Amino acid sequence: QVQVVESGGGLVQAGESLRLSCAASGSIFVITNMGWYRQAPGKQRELVASVSSAGATNYAGSGKGRFTIARDGAKNTMYLQMNSLKIENTAVYYCNVGHRNSWGVYSDYWGQGPQVTVSS
């Protein structure tokens, strides 16, 4: 079993920055993709950004140019630096960890989702 713990959410004003962190621990064999998703009230969960095991990054439209995703493979951690935050960035942000065990079975693990609130 893999545990995923996020930190760094909170309340900020528009234009400010926030950094989210995600740490995976437990019975880790191989972590594949890692990603950040967001879910705003009344909306479906959607991708914010992802990073592969090789370090290739992918950004969805809402964070392009303002958000930066980074990964530390040695520590099984991932970060999301969010700059110039807008009110519409308000959401619960979830860390997703893709894991492959020694049998080659793939599983997804999710964190609890810290709240990010951007005020005017």
Side-chain angles (χ1 to χ4, degrees):
Q1 197 71 320
V2 176
Q3 292 77 46
V4 178
V5 177
E6 303 125 324
S7 61
L11 171 64
V12 296
Q13 291 190 322
E16 294 185 337
S17 298
L18 204 60
R19 188 187 194 219
L20 302 180
S21 299
C22 170
S25 62
S27 301
I28 294 174
F29 188 69
V30 175
I31 292 179
T32 57
N33 279 16
M34 300 181 79
W36 289 99
Y37 290 73
R38 51 169 282 178
Q39 188 165 19
K43 296 189 176 181
Q44 289 189 332
R45 192 173 297 188
E46 60 181 7
L47 176 69
V48 176
S50 65
V51 56
S52 72
S53 58
T57 58
N58 175 51
Y59 294 92
S62 61
K64 282 183 179 178
R66 297 185 294 119
F67 295 0
T68 302
I69 191 170
R71 173 176 176 170
D72 185 334
K75 297 180 180 179
N76 295 322
T77 56
M78 177 180 62
Y79 310 94
L80 183 68
Q81 177 68 40
M82 302 186 290
N83 297 329
S84 303
L85 282 162
K86 303 177 181 180
I87 293 175
E88 52 263 41
N89 294 133
T90 295
V92 177
Y93 283 73
Y94 295 93
C95 172
N96 173 262
V97 175
H99 179 261
R100 183 169 286 109
N101 66 16
S102 58
W103 295 89
V105 176
Y106 179 87
S107 300
D108 270 314
Y109 295 92
W110 295 88
Q112 77 282 5
Q115 174 71 46
V116 172
T117 302
V118 184
S119 64
S120 60

